[in-house]
PDB file of all heavy atoms in Angstrom:
ATOM      1  N   ILE A 652     -93.488 -45.572  52.234  1.00 28.00           N
ATOM      2  CA  ILE A 652     -92.167 -46.311  51.872  1.00 28.00           C
ATOM      3  C   ILE A 652     -92.485 -47.546  51.019  1.00 28.00           C
ATOM      4  O   ILE A 652     -91.753 -47.937  50.141  1.00 28.00           O
ATOM      5  CB  ILE A 652     -91.367 -46.612  53.193  1.00 28.00           C
ATOM      6  CG1 ILE A 652     -90.823 -45.334  53.769  1.00 28.00           C
ATOM      7  CG2 ILE A 652     -90.203 -47.456  52.845  1.00 28.00           C
ATOM      8  CD1 ILE A 652     -90.259 -45.420  55.183  1.00 28.00           C
ATOM      9  N   LEU A 653     -93.474 -48.319  51.479  1.00 28.00           N
ATOM     10  CA  LEU A 653     -93.851 -49.561  50.901  1.00 28.00           C
ATOM     11  C   LEU A 653     -94.276 -49.268  49.492  1.00 28.00           C
ATOM     12  O   LEU A 653     -93.930 -50.069  48.499  1.00 28.00           O
ATOM     13  CB  LEU A 653     -94.776 -50.273  51.700  1.00 28.00           C
ATOM     14  CG  LEU A 653     -94.300 -50.708  53.044  1.00 28.00           C
ATOM     15  CD1 LEU A 653     -95.443 -51.288  53.818  1.00 28.00           C
ATOM     16  CD2 LEU A 653     -93.168 -51.708  52.931  1.00 28.00           C
ATOM     17  N   VAL A 654     -95.043 -48.267  49.221  1.00 27.00           N
ATOM     18  CA  VAL A 654     -95.490 -47.862  47.883  1.00 27.00           C
ATOM     19  C   VAL A 654     -94.310 -47.518  47.101  1.00 27.00           C
ATOM     20  O   VAL A 654     -94.139 -48.014  45.868  1.00 27.00           O
ATOM     21  CB  VAL A 654     -96.479 -46.646  47.921  1.00 27.00           C
ATOM     22  CG1 VAL A 654     -96.850 -46.295  46.592  1.00 27.00           C
ATOM     23  CG2 VAL A 654     -97.834 -47.286  48.587  1.00 27.00           C
ATOM     24  N   SER A 655     -93.367 -46.736  47.667  1.00 31.00           N
ATOM     25  CA  SER A 655     -92.161 -46.427  46.884  1.00 31.00           C
ATOM     26  C   SER A 655     -91.349 -47.702  46.549  1.00 31.00           C
ATOM     27  O   SER A 655     -90.859 -47.769  45.352  1.00 31.00           O
ATOM     28  CB  SER A 655     -91.274 -45.554  47.781  1.00 31.00           C
ATOM     29  OG  SER A 655     -90.010 -45.224  47.207  1.00 31.00           O
ATOM     30  N   LEU A 656     -91.257 -48.567  47.450  1.00 29.00           N
ATOM     31  CA  LEU A 656     -90.621 -49.869  47.084  1.00 29.00           C
ATOM     32  C   LEU A 656     -91.121 -50.578  45.997  1.00 29.00           C
ATOM     33  O   LEU A 656     -90.541 -50.993  45.056  1.00 29.00           O
ATOM     34  CB  LEU A 656     -90.575 -50.780  48.310  1.00 29.00           C
ATOM     35  CG  LEU A 656     -90.335 -52.317  48.093  1.00 29.00           C
ATOM     36  CD1 LEU A 656     -88.833 -52.381  47.732  1.00 29.00           C
ATOM     37  CD2 LEU A 656     -90.574 -53.028  49.290  1.00 29.00           C
ATOM     38  N   ALA A 657     -92.462 -50.743  45.994  1.00 30.00           N
ATOM     39  CA  ALA A 657     -93.166 -51.497  45.056  1.00 30.00           C
ATOM     40  C   ALA A 657     -93.089 -50.872  43.631  1.00 30.00           C
ATOM     41  O   ALA A 657     -93.002 -51.532  42.568  1.00 30.00           O
ATOM     42  CB  ALA A 657     -94.664 -51.608  45.360  1.00 30.00           C
ATOM     43  N   ASN A 658     -92.838 -49.434  43.581  1.00 32.00           N
ATOM     44  CA  ASN A 658     -93.000 -48.818  42.303  1.00 32.00           C
ATOM     45  C   ASN A 658     -91.603 -48.438  41.802  1.00 32.00           C
ATOM     46  O   ASN A 658     -91.547 -47.915  40.558  1.00 32.00           O
ATOM     47  CB  ASN A 658     -93.890 -47.549  42.411  1.00 32.00           C
ATOM     48  CG  ASN A 658     -95.295 -47.942  42.616  1.00 32.00           C
ATOM     49  OD1 ASN A 658     -95.773 -49.046  42.298  1.00 32.00           O
ATOM     50  ND2 ASN A 658     -96.133 -47.069  43.274  1.00 32.00           N
ATOM     51  N   ASN A 659     -90.570 -48.358  42.720  1.00 34.00           N
ATOM     52  CA  ASN A 659     -89.373 -47.675  42.302  1.00 34.00           C
ATOM     53  C   ASN A 659     -88.718 -48.201  40.961  1.00 34.00           C
ATOM     54  O   ASN A 659     -88.192 -47.475  40.181  1.00 34.00           O
ATOM     55  CB  ASN A 659     -88.358 -47.718  43.392  1.00 34.00           C
ATOM     56  CG  ASN A 659     -87.610 -49.055  43.469  1.00 34.00           C
ATOM     57  OD1 ASN A 659     -86.572 -49.182  42.763  1.00 34.00           O
ATOM     58  ND2 ASN A 659     -88.113 -49.823  44.381  1.00 34.00           N
ATOM     59  N   ASN A 660     -88.846 -49.545  40.772  1.00 33.00           N
ATOM     60  CA  ASN A 660     -88.150 -50.152  39.616  1.00 33.00           C
ATOM     61  C   ASN A 660     -88.767 -49.572  38.266  1.00 33.00           C
ATOM     62  O   ASN A 660     -88.053 -49.283  37.290  1.00 33.00           O
ATOM     63  CB  ASN A 660     -88.270 -51.660  39.531  1.00 33.00           C
ATOM     64  CG  ASN A 660     -87.184 -52.302  40.403  1.00 33.00           C
ATOM     65  OD1 ASN A 660     -86.185 -51.628  40.849  1.00 33.00           O
ATOM     66  ND2 ASN A 660     -87.293 -53.549  40.789  1.00 33.00           N
ATOM     67  N   LEU A 661     -90.081 -49.555  38.200  1.00 30.00           N
ATOM     68  CA  LEU A 661     -90.718 -49.265  36.985  1.00 30.00           C
ATOM     69  C   LEU A 661     -91.083 -47.887  36.747  1.00 30.00           C
ATOM     70  O   LEU A 661     -91.532 -47.553  35.614  1.00 30.00           O
ATOM     71  CB  LEU A 661     -92.051 -50.258  36.797  1.00 30.00           C
ATOM     72  CG  LEU A 661     -91.724 -51.725  36.792  1.00 30.00           C
ATOM     73  CD1 LEU A 661     -92.968 -52.572  36.677  1.00 30.00           C
ATOM     74  CD2 LEU A 661     -90.799 -52.064  35.449  1.00 30.00           C
TER      75      LEU A 661
END
Side-chain angles (χ1 to χ4, degrees):
I652 291 170
L653 297 172
V654 170
S655 172
L656 163 65
N658 294 333
N659 80 85
N660 278 346
L661 297 175

